[in-house]
Amino acid sequence: MLQEGAHGKWTVSSSDESTEENSDNEKPSTSSLLHAACGRASGPQYPCSEARKAAHKRKASPLKFSDKSFPAETRLAEKQRPSQEGLGWCLSSSDEEPEDQEKQAHKETVKEEKNDAPKEHPLNFHKDNELSENQKAEECCEAPSEAQDTWDLLNGGNPFRFFLTKVRGIKQNYNSGALHIKDILSPLFGTLLSSAQFNYCIDVEWLVRQYPQEFRKKPLLIVHGEKRESKAELLAQARPYENISFCQAKLDIAFGTHHTKMMLLLYEEGLRVVIHTSNLIAEDWHQKTQGIWISPLYPRLPRGPTDSSGESETNFKSDLISYLMAYNSPTLKEWIDKIQEHDLSETRVYLLGSTPGRYQGIDKEKWGHLRLRKLLKEHASSVPAQESWPLVGQFSSIGSMGVDESKWLCSEFQESLVATGSSVTTLLKYGVPIHLVYPTVDNVRQSLEGYPAGGSLPYSIQTAQKQLWLHSYFHKWSAEVSGRSHAMPHIKTYMRPSPDFQKIAWFLVTSANLSKAAWGALEKNGTQLMIRSYELGVLFLPSAFAT
């Protein structure tokens, strides 16, 4: 369904997430493995959302139209879904909305990625020796860059250490300064001893190929949130690799996901942390706009480190350890110890995470949007006439926010984002402008991936119909400066720019979409914060880069 209006046409979708309980057993049953093997014959090899499965099918078997009397895009929209008058939405299938899901819990539940895309390469690449299209792209276009010295790129004139991913199909100059996952895992960055990959959607075989040949048998820990059949599929993927182990993140609150995207890389030379927005699948590193923060190389501390040794002014080390401890997993204790042994004092960003739970008292300010509120109050500088400095949010999925803006978006969430140490109440009274950037149907249609790109932009039609008020905040996706207007965003960013967009009070890159599941929602008269999912991002504040 397409709606003509001042705010464009918008893509939405619908599905449910799994409500299955966590299992402590990491070994899949024989029946589960058989089920997983059968599933790979008809869909992506890795566990993924219904939206990505649908997009994959469309990409594998494109619709063909013989009626030439209508524009192609009009016929495509009609073919894909019958019109539903008065609603104005183009539908696909996937969602992360807990409120809507709870009402439909009796229906078949499926796992949903708030921001995932379809599997593009052929599914049975053990059947023949031909490389898939994406594998060929990896070899010819996505190998570690030889045209530029990646080491100089990382350690040269980029004090923020923030990068975009390389995009195939755009002008070469727009990929200057961008990175592919093979660049990140390159020996140029260090001699790898072991690594940990935290993520949501994981194609194990593809991931292993991204490591240089000499590092492919090094210990690799995969931290995930899969359950039952999806978990069995993931473990089945890893059976050929003896060096791969798993840590299952506990998801005790319904409809939560392990959405964090982080790499921990231990080298002979030290330790590195990478926080990014891409799933560990080929499509997320191919033609999408993604963001990456790469830490400096953290050297090992001399000897006998104390708890406060190697801490940064941004408290990054202790915050990272606190985040890992929230998993309550013995498997991660080894990585906590490794972090403790290294000097993270050169870090200039603040860590901002979400972990599932219900938090009260001082614990409320440890996670989610209340954590952002605390950081901004304590460290963000006041700016003149800041009531005119807008809030800009950009994301790839939208959750349920209530029947009107006062329920969450323009109340507790906005209050956190406008905090600067000055009177928040005053700013809210003035009504700080909010701009929300989300791709339109035309953005998707004209993208490098075409309509299948919509598989990574889920927005439930049930949710959308209940919050039509949100449309007035929407702005279409455009990224002319970086040459990525046609590379659909899977990146999530939030910021506070000046009215003329020449200055910025703060900038956040994160895995968190615009949802209460990711950011948290207050309960019990504001005395408790409830968060469903794991998320992770880094906050850039001018005060940390003063030098």
Side-chain angles (χ1 to χ4, degrees), residues 419-488:
T420 56
S422 60
S423 174
V424 172
T425 305
T426 303
L427 290 178
L428 289 176
K429 186 171 65 177
Y430 278 112
V432 175
I434 299 177
H435 306 308
L436 303 178
V437 179
Y438 192 70
T440 65
V441 172
D442 279 348
N443 279 150
V444 175
R445 179 177 63 83
Q446 298 175 28
S447 72
L448 293 166
E449 299 172 276
Y451 280 120
S456 59
L457 297 165
Y459 182 19
S460 163
I461 182 61
Q462 292 93 341
T463 303
Q465 290 170 343
K466 295 173 184 176
Q467 51 192 38
L468 298 177
W469 54 266
L470 190 60
H471 300 183
S472 63
Y473 294 95
F474 282 156
H475 295 261
K476 70 178 183 180
W477 168 256
S478 180
E480 292 299 311
V481 172
S482 61
R484 284 164 171 76
S485 289
H486 298 291
M488 288 300 93

Coordinates of all heavy atoms in Angstrom, one line a residue, residues 419-488:
A419 N 19.1 16.1 27.3 CA 19.8 16.4 28.5 C 21.2 16.9 28.2 O 21.9 16.4 27.4 CB 20.0 15.1 29.4
T420 N 21.6 18.0 28.9 CA 22.9 18.6 28.8 C 23.4 19.2 30.1 O 24.4 19.9 30.1 CB 23.0 19.7 27.7 OG1 22.0 20.7 28.0 CG2 22.7 19.2 26.3
G421 N 22.8 18.9 31.2 CA 23.1 19.5 32.4 C 22.3 20.7 32.7 O 22.2 21.2 33.8
S422 N 21.6 21.3 31.7 CA 20.7 22.4 31.9 C 19.3 21.8 32.2 O 19.1 20.6 32.2 CB 20.7 23.3 30.6 OG 20.2 22.5 29.5
S423 N 18.4 22.7 32.3 CA 17.0 22.3 32.7 C 16.4 21.5 31.5 O 16.0 22.1 30.5 CB 16.2 23.5 33.1 OG 14.8 23.1 33.3
V424 N 16.2 20.2 31.7 CA 15.5 19.4 30.7 C 14.1 19.8 30.6 O 13.5 19.9 29.5 CB 15.6 17.9 31.1 CG1 14.8 17.1 30.2 CG2 17.0 17.5 31.0
T425 N 13.4 20.1 31.7 CA 12.0 20.5 31.7 C 11.8 21.7 30.8 O 10.9 21.8 30.0 CB 11.5 20.8 33.1 OG1 11.8 19.7 33.9 CG2 10.0 21.1 33.1
T426 N 12.7 22.7 30.9 CA 12.6 23.9 30.1 C 12.7 23.6 28.6 O 11.9 24.1 27.7 CB 13.7 24.9 30.4 OG1 13.6 25.2 31.8 CG2 13.6 26.2 29.6
L427 N 13.6 22.7 28.2 CA 13.8 22.3 26.8 C 12.6 21.6 26.3 O 12.2 21.9 25.2 CB 15.1 21.5 26.7 CG 16.4 22.2 26.9 CD1 17.6 21.1 26.8 CD2 16.6 23.3 25.9
L428 N 12.0 20.7 27.1 CA 10.9 20.0 26.6 C 9.7 20.9 26.4 O 8.9 20.8 25.5 CB 10.5 18.9 27.6 CG 11.4 17.7 27.7 CD1 11.0 16.7 28.8 CD2 11.5 17.0 26.4
K429 N 9.6 21.9 27.2 CA 8.5 22.9 27.1 C 8.6 23.7 25.8 O 7.6 24.0 25.2 CB 8.5 23.9 28.3 CG 7.4 24.8 28.4 CD 7.3 25.6 29.7 CE 8.5 26.5 29.8 NZ 8.5 27.3 31.0
Y430 N 9.9 24.0 25.4 CA 10.1 24.7 24.1 C 9.8 23.8 22.9 O 9.6 24.2 21.8 CB 11.5 25.2 24.0 CG 11.7 26.5 24.8 CD1 12.5 26.6 25.9 CD2 11.1 27.7 24.3 CE1 12.7 27.8 26.6 CE2 11.3 28.9 25.0 CZ 12.1 28.9 26.1 OH 12.2 30.1 26.8
G431 N 9.9 22.5 23.1 CA 9.6 21.5 22.1 C 10.8 21.4 21.1 O 10.7 21.9 20.0
V432 N 11.8 20.8 21.5 CA 13.0 20.6 20.7 C 12.6 19.8 19.4 O 11.9 18.7 19.5 CB 14.1 19.8 21.4 CG1 15.3 19.5 20.5 CG2 14.6 20.6 22.6
P433 N 12.9 20.2 18.2 CA 12.5 19.5 17.0 C 13.1 18.1 17.0 O 14.2 17.9 17.4 CB 13.1 20.4 15.9 CG 13.3 21.7 16.5 CD 13.7 21.5 17.9
I434 N 12.3 17.2 16.4 CA 12.8 15.8 16.3 C 12.7 15.4 14.8 O 11.6 15.5 14.2 CB 12.0 14.8 17.1 CG1 12.1 15.1 18.6 CG2 12.4 13.4 16.9 CD1 11.2 14.2 19.5
H435 N 13.8 15.0 14.2 CA 13.8 14.5 12.8 C 14.2 13.0 12.8 O 15.2 12.7 13.3 CB 14.8 15.3 12.0 CG 14.6 16.8 12.1 ND1 13.4 17.4 11.8 CD2 15.5 17.8 12.4 CE1 13.5 18.7 11.9 NE2 14.8 19.0 12.3
L436 N 13.3 12.2 12.2 CA 13.6 10.8 12.2 C 13.8 10.4 10.7 O 12.9 10.6 9.9 CB 12.4 10.0 12.7 CG 12.0 10.4 14.2 CD1 10.8 9.6 14.6 CD2 13.2 10.1 15.1
V437 N 14.9 9.8 10.4 CA 15.3 9.4 9.1 C 15.1 7.9 8.8 O 15.6 7.1 9.6 CB 16.8 9.8 8.8 CG1 17.2 9.4 7.4 CG2 17.1 11.3 9.1
Y438 N 14.2 7.6 7.8 CA 13.9 6.3 7.5 C 13.6 6.2 6.0 O 12.9 7.0 5.5 CB 12.7 5.8 8.4 CG 12.4 4.4 8.3 CD1 13.2 3.5 9.0 CD2 11.3 3.9 7.7 CE1 13.0 2.1 9.0 CE2 11.0 2.5 7.7 CZ 11.8 1.6 8.3 OH 11.6 0.3 8.3
P439 N 14.1 5.1 5.4 CA 13.9 5.1 3.9 C 12.5 5.0 3.4 O 11.7 4.3 4.1 CB 14.7 3.8 3.5 CG 15.7 3.6 4.6 CD 15.0 4.1 5.9
T440 N 12.2 5.6 2.3 CA 10.9 5.6 1.7 C 10.9 4.4 0.7 O 11.9 3.8 0.4 CB 10.5 6.8 0.9 OG1 11.5 7.0 -0.2 CG2 10.7 8.1 1.8
V441 N 9.7 4.1 0.2 CA 9.5 3.1 -0.8 C 10.4 3.4 -2.0 O 11.1 2.5 -2.6 CB 8.1 2.9 -1.2 CG1 8.0 2.0 -2.4 CG2 7.2 2.4 -0.1
D442 N 10.4 4.7 -2.4 CA 11.3 5.1 -3.6 C 12.8 4.9 -3.2 O 13.5 4.5 -4.1 CB 11.0 6.5 -4.0 CG 9.7 6.6 -4.9 OD1 9.3 5.5 -5.3 OD2 9.2 7.7 -5.1
N443 N 13.1 5.2 -2.0 CA 14.5 5.0 -1.6 C 14.9 3.5 -1.8 O 16.0 3.2 -2.4 CB 14.7 5.3 -0.1 CG 14.9 6.7 0.2 OD1 14.5 7.2 1.3 ND2 15.5 7.5 -0.7
V444 N 14.0 2.6 -1.4 CA 14.3 1.2 -1.6 C 14.3 0.8 -3.0 O 15.2 0.0 -3.5 CB 13.3 0.4 -0.7 CG1 13.5 -1.1 -1.0 CG2 13.4 0.7 0.8
R445 N 13.3 1.2 -3.7 CA 13.1 0.8 -5.2 C 14.4 1.2 -6.0 O 14.8 0.5 -6.8 CB 11.9 1.5 -5.8 CG 11.7 1.1 -7.2 CD 10.4 1.8 -7.7 NE 10.4 3.2 -7.7 CZ 10.9 4.0 -8.6 NH1 11.5 3.5 -9.7 NH2 10.9 5.3 -8.5
Q446 N 14.9 2.4 -5.7 CA 16.1 2.9 -6.4 C 17.4 2.5 -5.8 O 18.4 3.0 -6.3 CB 15.9 4.4 -6.6 CG 14.7 4.9 -7.3 CD 14.5 6.4 -7.3 OE1 15.5 7.2 -7.2 NE2 13.3 6.9 -7.3
S447 N 17.4 1.7 -4.8 CA 18.6 1.4 -4.1 C 19.5 0.4 -5.0 O 19.0 -0.2 -5.9 CB 18.3 0.7 -2.8 OG 17.8 -0.6 -2.9
L448 N 20.7 0.2 -4.6 CA 21.6 -0.8 -5.2 C 21.1 -2.2 -5.2 O 21.3 -3.0 -6.1 CB 23.0 -0.7 -4.6 CG 23.8 0.6 -4.8 CD1 24.9 0.7 -3.8 CD2 24.2 0.8 -6.2
E449 N 20.4 -2.5 -4.2 CA 19.8 -3.9 -4.0 C 18.4 -4.0 -4.6 O 17.9 -5.1 -4.8 CB 19.8 -4.2 -2.5 CG 21.1 -4.3 -1.8 CD 20.9 -4.5 -0.3 OE1 20.7 -3.5 0.4 OE2 21.0 -5.6 0.1
G450 N 17.7 -2.9 -4.8 CA 16.3 -2.9 -5.3 C 15.4 -3.3 -4.1 O 15.8 -3.1 -2.9
Y451 N 14.2 -3.8 -4.5 CA 13.3 -4.1 -3.4 C 13.7 -5.0 -2.4 O 13.3 -4.9 -1.2 CB 12.0 -4.6 -4.1 CG 11.1 -3.5 -4.6 CD1 10.8 -3.5 -6.0 CD2 10.6 -2.5 -3.8 CE1 10.0 -2.5 -6.5 CE2 9.8 -1.5 -4.3 CZ 9.5 -1.5 -5.7 OH 8.7 -0.5 -6.2
P452 N 14.6 -6.0 -2.7 CA 15.1 -6.9 -1.6 C 15.7 -6.2 -0.4 O 15.8 -6.7 0.7 CB 16.1 -7.8 -2.3 CG 15.5 -7.9 -3.7 CD 15.0 -6.5 -4.0
A453 N 16.2 -4.9 -0.6 CA 16.7 -4.1 0.5 C 15.7 -3.9 1.6 O 16.1 -3.7 2.8 CB 17.3 -2.8 0.0
G454 N 14.4 -4.0 1.2 CA 13.4 -3.8 2.2 C 13.4 -4.9 3.3 O 12.8 -4.7 4.4
G455 N 14.0 -6.0 3.0 CA 14.1 -7.1 4.0 C 14.8 -6.7 5.2 O 14.7 -7.3 6.3
S456 N 15.7 -5.7 5.1 CA 16.4 -5.2 6.3 C 15.8 -3.9 6.9 O 16.5 -3.3 7.7 CB 17.9 -5.1 6.0 OG 18.0 -4.1 4.9
L457 N 14.6 -3.6 6.5 CA 13.9 -2.4 7.0 C 12.6 -2.7 7.5 O 11.5 -2.2 7.1 CB 13.8 -1.4 5.9 CG 15.2 -0.8 5.3 CD1 14.9 -0.1 4.0 CD2 15.8 0.1 6.3
P458 N 12.5 -3.6 8.5 CA 11.2 -4.1 9.0 C 10.4 -3.0 9.9 O 11.0 -2.4 10.7 CB 11.5 -5.3 9.8 CG 12.9 -5.1 10.3 CD 13.6 -4.3 9.2
Y459 N 9.2 -2.9 9.6 CA 8.3 -2.0 10.4 C 6.9 -2.6 10.3 O 6.3 -2.6 9.3 CB 8.3 -0.6 9.9 CG 7.5 0.4 10.6 CD1 7.1 0.2 11.9 CD2 7.1 1.6 10.0 CE1 6.3 1.1 12.6 CE2 6.4 2.6 10.7 CZ 6.0 2.3 12.0 OH 5.2 3.3 12.7
S460 N 6.4 -3.1 11.4 CA 5.1 -3.9 11.5 C 4.0 -3.0 11.0 O 3.8 -1.9 11.5 CB 4.9 -4.4 12.9 OG 3.6 -4.8 13.0
I461 N 3.2 -3.6 10.1 CA 2.0 -2.8 9.7 C 1.0 -2.7 10.8 O 0.3 -1.6 10.9 CB 1.3 -3.6 8.5 CG1 0.1 -2.8 8.0 CG2 0.9 -5.0 8.8 CD1 0.4 -1.4 7.5
Q462 N 0.9 -3.7 11.7 CA 0.0 -3.5 12.9 C 0.5 -2.4 13.7 O -0.4 -1.6 14.2 CB 0.0 -4.8 13.7 CG -0.6 -6.0 13.0 CD 0.4 -6.8 12.2 OE1 1.5 -6.4 11.9 NE2 0.0 -8.1 11.9
T463 N 1.8 -2.2 13.9 CA 2.3 -1.1 14.7 C 2.1 0.2 14.0 O 1.7 1.2 14.6 CB 3.8 -1.4 15.0 OG1 3.9 -2.6 15.7 CG2 4.3 -0.2 15.9
A464 N 2.4 0.2 12.7 CA 2.3 1.5 11.9 C 0.9 2.0 12.0 O 0.7 3.3 12.1 CB 2.8 1.2 10.5
Q465 N -0.1 1.2 11.9 CA -1.5 1.7 11.8 C -1.9 2.3 13.2 O -2.8 3.1 13.2 CB -2.4 0.5 11.5 CG -2.3 0.0 10.1 CD -3.0 -1.3 9.9 OE1 -3.4 -2.0 10.8 NE2 -3.3 -1.7 8.6
K466 N -1.2 1.9 14.2 CA -1.5 2.5 15.5 C -0.8 3.7 15.9 O -1.0 4.3 16.9 CB -1.2 1.4 16.6 CG -2.1 0.2 16.5 CD -1.7 -0.9 17.5 CE -2.5 -2.2 17.3 NZ -2.0 -3.3 18.2
Q467 N 0.2 4.1 15.1 CA 1.0 5.3 15.4 C 1.2 6.2 14.1 O 2.3 6.5 13.8 CB 2.3 5.0 16.0 CG 3.2 3.9 15.3 CD 4.3 3.4 16.2 OE1 4.2 3.2 17.4 NE2 5.4 3.2 15.6
L468 N 0.1 6.5 13.5 CA 0.2 7.3 12.3 C 0.7 8.7 12.6 O 1.2 9.4 11.7 CB -1.2 7.4 11.6 CG -1.8 6.1 11.1 CD1 -3.2 6.3 10.6 CD2 -0.9 5.4 10.1
W469 N 0.6 9.1 13.8 CA 1.2 10.4 14.3 C 2.7 10.5 14.0 O 3.2 11.6 13.9 CB 0.9 10.6 15.8 CG 1.4 9.5 16.6 CD1 0.7 8.4 17.1 CD2 2.7 9.3 17.2 NE1 1.5 7.6 17.9 CE2 2.7 8.1 18.0 CE3 3.9 10.1 17.1 CZ2 3.9 7.7 18.6 CZ3 5.0 9.6 17.7 CH2 5.0 8.4 18.5
L470 N 3.3 9.3 13.9 CA 4.8 9.3 13.7 C 5.2 9.9 12.4 O 6.3 10.3 12.2 CB 5.3 7.9 13.9 CG 6.8 7.7 14.0 CD1 7.4 8.4 15.2 CD2 7.1 6.2 14.1
H471 N 4.3 9.8 11.4 CA 4.6 10.2 10.0 C 5.2 11.6 9.9 O 6.0 11.9 9.1 CB 3.4 10.1 9.1 CG 2.9 8.7 9.0 ND1 1.8 8.4 8.2 CD2 3.2 7.6 9.6 CE1 1.5 7.1 8.3 NE2 2.4 6.6 9.2
S472 N 4.7 12.5 10.7 CA 5.1 13.9 10.6 C 6.5 14.1 11.0 O 7.1 15.2 10.7 CB 4.2 14.8 11.5 OG 4.3 14.4 12.9
Y473 N 7.2 13.1 11.6 CA 8.6 13.2 12.0 C 9.5 12.7 11.0 O 10.7 12.9 11.1 CB 8.8 12.5 13.4 CG 8.1 13.1 14.5 CD1 6.9 12.6 14.9 CD2 8.7 14.1 15.3 CE1 6.2 13.2 16.0 CE2 8.0 14.7 16.4 CZ 6.8 14.2 16.7 OH 6.1 14.8 17.8
F474 N 9.0 12.0 10.0 CA 9.8 11.2 9.0 C 10.5 12.1 8.0 O 10.0 13.1 7.5 CB 9.0 10.2 8.2 CG 8.6 9.0 9.0 CD1 7.5 8.2 8.7 CD2 9.4 8.5 10.1 CE1 7.2 7.1 9.3 CE2 9.1 7.4 10.7 CZ 8.0 6.6 10.4
H475 N 11.7 11.7 7.7 CA 12.5 12.3 6.6 C 13.1 11.2 5.8 O 13.6 10.2 6.4 CB 13.6 13.2 7.1 CG 13.1 14.4 7.9 ND1 13.0 15.7 7.3 CD2 12.6 14.6 9.1 CE1 12.5 16.5 8.2 NE2 12.2 15.9 9.3
K476 N 13.2 11.3 4.5 CA 13.7 10.3 3.7 C 15.2 10.1 3.8 O 15.9 11.0 4.3 CB 13.3 10.5 2.2 CG 14.1 11.7 1.5 CD 13.7 11.8 0.1 CE 14.5 12.9 -0.6 NZ 14.1 13.0 -2.0
W477 N 15.7 9.0 3.4 CA 17.2 8.7 3.5 C 17.9 9.4 2.3 O 17.5 9.4 1.2 CB 17.4 7.2 3.4 CG 18.9 6.8 3.2 CD1 19.4 6.4 2.0 CD2 19.9 6.9 4.1 NE1 20.8 6.2 2.2 CE2 21.1 6.4 3.5 CE3 20.0 7.2 5.5 CZ2 22.3 6.3 4.1 CZ3 21.2 7.1 6.1 CH2 22.4 6.7 5.4
S478 N 19.0 10.1 2.6 CA 19.8 10.7 1.6 C 21.2 10.8 2.2 O 21.4 11.2 3.4 CB 19.3 12.1 1.3 OG 20.2 12.7 0.3
A479 N 22.2 10.4 1.4 CA 23.6 10.4 1.9 C 24.5 10.8 0.7 O 25.4 10.1 0.3 CB 24.0 9.1 2.5
E480 N 24.3 12.0 0.1 CA 25.1 12.4 -1.0 C 26.5 12.6 -0.7 O 27.4 12.3 -1.6 CB 24.4 13.7 -1.6 CG 23.1 13.5 -2.2 CD 23.1 12.6 -3.4 OE1 23.9 12.7 -4.3 OE2 22.2 11.6 -3.4
V481 N 26.8 13.2 0.4 CA 28.2 13.5 0.7 C 29.1 12.2 0.7 O 30.3 12.2 0.3 CB 28.3 14.2 2.1 CG1 29.8 14.3 2.6 CG2 27.7 15.6 2.0
S482 N 28.5 11.1 1.2 CA 29.3 9.9 1.3 C 29.0 9.0 0.1 O 29.5 7.9 0.0 CB 29.0 9.1 2.6 OG 27.6 8.8 2.6
G483 N 28.2 9.4 -0.9 CA 27.9 8.7 -2.1 C 27.0 7.4 -1.8 O 27.0 6.5 -2.5
R484 N 26.3 7.5 -0.7 CA 25.5 6.3 -0.3 C 24.0 6.5 -0.2 O 23.3 5.8 0.5 CB 26.0 5.8 1.1 CG 27.4 5.1 1.1 CD 28.1 5.0 2.4 NE 29.3 4.2 2.3 CZ 30.4 4.5 1.8 NH1 30.6 5.7 1.3 NH2 31.4 3.6 1.8
S485 N 23.5 7.4 -1.0 CA 22.1 7.6 -1.1 C 21.4 6.4 -1.6 O 20.2 6.1 -1.3 CB 21.7 8.8 -2.0 OG 22.1 10.0 -1.4
H486 N 22.1 5.5 -2.4 CA 21.4 4.3 -2.9 C 21.9 3.0 -2.2 O 21.6 1.9 -2.6 CB 21.7 4.2 -4.4 CG 21.1 5.3 -5.2 ND1 19.8 5.5 -5.4 CD2 21.8 6.4 -5.9 CE1 19.6 6.6 -6.1 NE2 20.8 7.1 -6.4
A487 N 22.6 3.2 -1.1 CA 23.0 2.1 -0.2 C 22.1 2.2 1.0 O 22.4 3.0 1.9 CB 24.5 2.2 0.1
M488 N 21.2 1.3 1.1 CA 20.2 1.4 2.2 C 20.8 1.3 3.5 O 21.7 0.5 3.8 CB 19.1 0.4 2.0 CG 18.1 0.7 0.9 SD 17.2 2.3 1.0 CE 18.3 3.4 0.1

